[in-house]
DNA sequence: CATTTACGTCAGTCTCGTTGACATATATGC
DNA sequence: GCATATATGTCAACGAGACTGACGTAAATG
């Protein structure tokens, strides 16, 4: 697949290979977010709203501080978009009965609908790529991406899912 | 959180798998850009500067319009960061002798140095992930990422690298 | 010579990230 | 019960970086 005819210089090969990875990530993320971004604009929302809607939908009952740890942004940045989503009835807050300081977040019908719309687009893109690449490539894709993620957050992705070994 | 022990429903499994991909991409990109972002701050630059420096370094002599096509941002957005990079002598412009409307961009010594610094960090992260994952996984990673990229831009990544030159 | 292309710029807007200070409610350890 | 820590929200101010739309200039091109 990767026809490197320069076997003479392994260092060059390595750098070229790594630069390709950098570029693949850039282009893939650019296009991966491009479609949702366009949809969000119609709602007066941006990518930050998308992230909140996605992770709240994925983890119903998640608290603000848990969300902050995932997004790695400041309380202010989250607060702005979150309060907007609550105000416009995309997201609901209810007090945790165990610890009444906590606000448990969940999607309201409007939020669920938008979440589905956005996730559907992204899923379709991934599904197509997965289908074309085959199961073995998919495993490789997952493995490498996990390796790129900071160690402390790797568990976030594979614990929840089919990757139960 | 969400543990799926259901093997009964293949559709559900599929959705879970796709959501994991979405999250892998999110976390990987977040951490992939996190390190360079921190460095750039010290220079008074942002991620936009990084992208320009990277792609100019990678494609010496690239023109403004070519850069726009890669970054998919507007002329204004590019103009702001580019003129700053030129002013501060990270990037040089010289008129193309064939078509004197074009400005061919290249890195100046300061730009090359910063580019190396930033790319080094990202490369190290990728290299570690590649090493841990193995050659086969790397191929899968590349294949799936290429599939995620809009078709018209796929050639950007594999032609320039292993192909010519 | 008219049109198109490449590039730059001005003015204004918006999202979304930042810091730092402060307020409140609640939980928890002693 | 009190002191402290935690979870959350909010205010003010700021900066980066994206956008649109319009306009201007230089050069290439049909």
């Amino acid at each position: 697949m990767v026809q490197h005819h320069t076997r003479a210089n392994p260092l060059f090969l390595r750098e070229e290979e790594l630069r390709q990875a950098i570029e693949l990530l850039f282009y893939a993320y650019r296009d991966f977010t491009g479609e949702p971004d366009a949809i969000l604009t119609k709602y007066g929302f941006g990518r930050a709203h998308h992230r909140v809607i996605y992770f709240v939908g994925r983890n119903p009952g998640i608290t603000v501080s848990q969300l902050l740890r995932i997004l790695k942004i400041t309380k202010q940045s989250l607060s702005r978009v979150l309060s907007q989503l609550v105000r416009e009835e995309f997201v609901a807050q209810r007090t945790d009965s165990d610890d009444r300081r906590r606000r448990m977040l969940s999607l309201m019908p409007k939020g669920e609908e938008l979440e589905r719309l956005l996730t559907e687009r992204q899923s379709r893109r991934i599904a197509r790529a997965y289908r074309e690449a085959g199961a073995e490539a998919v495993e490789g894709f997952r493995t490498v991406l996990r390796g790129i993620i900071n160690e402390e957050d790797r568990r976030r992705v594979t614990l929840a899912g089919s990757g139960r070994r």
Side-chain angles (χ1 to χ4, degrees), chain A:
Chain A
M1 197 79 194
V2 209
Q3 63 279 24
H4 295 298
H5 40 274
T6 38
R7 190 157 275 272
N9 189 342
L11 266 185
F12 179 74
L13 189 72
R14 182 179 173 71
E15 186 189 328
E16 174 60 34
E17 197 181 8
L18 296 173
R19 283 189 181 270
Q20 283 186 24
I22 289 173
E23 289 154 39
L24 279 166
L25 275 171
F26 167 74
Y27 290 117
Y29 201 75
R30 181 198 67 177
D31 294 341
F32 175 68
T33 52
E35 263 185 294
D37 284 357
I39 295 171
L40 288 155
T41 303
K42 298 179 200 156
Y43 286 75
F45 292 152
R47 199 178 294 178
H49 299 84
H50 184 189
R51 292 197 276 248
V52 171
I53 285 176
Y54 180 84
F55 284 106
V56 169
R58 176 69 153 150
N59 308 312
I62 193 173
T63 66
V64 171
S65 56
Q66 288 173 329
L67 207 43
L68 285 175
R69 255 168 273 144
I70 289 175
L71 301 177
K72 285 200 184 163
I73 56 174
T74 59
K75 206 168 37 161
Q76 301 320 314
S77 299
L78 175 56
S79 186
R80 201 184 318 109
V81 297
L82 182 56
S83 56
Q84 195 182 344
L85 288 170
V86 169
R87 204 181 320 123
E88 299 184 25
E89 298 184 319
F90 287 78
V91 169
Q93 295 178 328
R94 74 174 201 285
T95 306
D96 182 357
S97 53
D98 289 351
D99 184 338
R100 291 159 45 85
R101 292 171 305 180
R102 292 196 197 124
R103 307 241 173 137
M104 295 169 65
L105 308 172
S106 58
L107 292 186
M108 297 186 73
K110 277 167 73 180
E112 283 183 348
E113 193 187 326
L114 180 54
E115 195 278 335
R116 262 196 303 276
L117 182 62
L118 296 169
T119 299
E120 199 181 280
R121 299 303 182 98
Q122 292 192 315
S123 292
R124 227 176 266 164
R125 181 180 289 267
I126 307 279
R128 185 170 42 69
Y130 270 19
R131 207 180 316 120
E132 289 167 6
E136 198 179 294
V138 168
E139 245 338 274
F141 169 76
R142 293 169 46 95
T143 305
V144 173
L145 274 190
R146 272 177 56 81
I148 292 173
I149 297 169
N150 286 344
E151 210 182 330
E152 70 264 26
D153 277 347
R154 283 184 201 157
R155 56 173 206 82
R156 288 199 195 277
V157 189
T158 328
L159 282 187
S162 62
R164 302 285 278 131
R165 314 219 182 278

